[in-house]
Amino acid sequence: MLPPERTPRQRIMELLTGTRLATHQLAQMLGIPERQVEDHLMHAVKSIVRDKTRRFILEPSRCQDCDFVFRDRRRLTRPSRCPHCRSEGITAPRYGIDSVSSRSGRVDSKGSSQ
Ligand SMILES: [Zn+2]
């Protein structure tokens, strides 16, 4: 029997582990539309919230002109313009997954569950 094919969601979670990527980068790596990446990402976040060995990281969007950081933004998509200076030069938010060693409370970037 062949091993089961990885779903895009599993692949997204693998790709994000230990690094930070924007949705357009994931879309490119997986060869699927960015909109689908966002959809998978939302579900991946839900499963990671329940998983105590992993933590979902969100690096917020930032205005390239005035350095305004979109900290309160909960949506996964990129804001279109800065509320501060109205610039449209907004960086894409980036996502990542960090492994958490629950026993010691330390963050282990190698992610071995031992
Ligand atoms: Zn700005």
Side-chain angles (χ1 to χ4, degrees), residues 83-96:
H84 209 71
C85 70
R86 298 187 161 207
S87 164
E88 291 181 21
I90 311 294
T91 64
R94 298 197 305 162
Y95 309 94

Side-chain angles (χ1 to χ4, degrees), residues 2-19:
L2 290 164
E5 188 88 4
R6 290 199 181 282
T7 64
R9 197 176 309 165
Q10 286 171 320
R11 294 193 59 202
I12 285 172
M13 287 165 76
E14 276 181 7
L15 287 167
L16 289 178
T17 300
T19 185

Side-chain angles (χ1 to χ4, degrees), residues 94-112:
R94 298 197 305 162
Y95 309 94
I97 296 167
D98 282 353
S99 297
V100 177
S101 172
S102 53
R103 229 165 276 172
S104 64
R106 282 181 310 166
V107 176
D108 178 12
S109 58
K110 285 274 176 254
S112 65

Side-chain angles (χ1 to χ4, degrees), residues 41-97:
L41 210 48
M42 278 193 289
H43 288 95
V45 172
K46 283 179 192 166
S47 61
I48 288 165
V49 165
R50 287 195 298 265
D51 186 345
K52 289 196 169 60
T53 65
R54 284 184 292 186
R55 193 173 42 175
F56 189 81
I57 307 293
L58 194 162
E59 278 187 4
S61 297
R62 178 189 291 268
C63 173
Q64 290 171 314
D65 289 326
C66 74
D67 264 358
F68 178 84
V69 177
F70 293 77
R71 286 195 192 286
D72 293 334
R73 198 172 172 94
R74 283 278 167 244
R75 287 181 58 198
L76 297 171
T77 51
R78 181 167 53 153
S80 56
R81 74 168 57 197
C82 176
H84 209 71
C85 70
R86 298 187 161 207
S87 164
E88 291 181 21
I90 311 294
T91 64
R94 298 197 305 162
Y95 309 94
I97 296 167

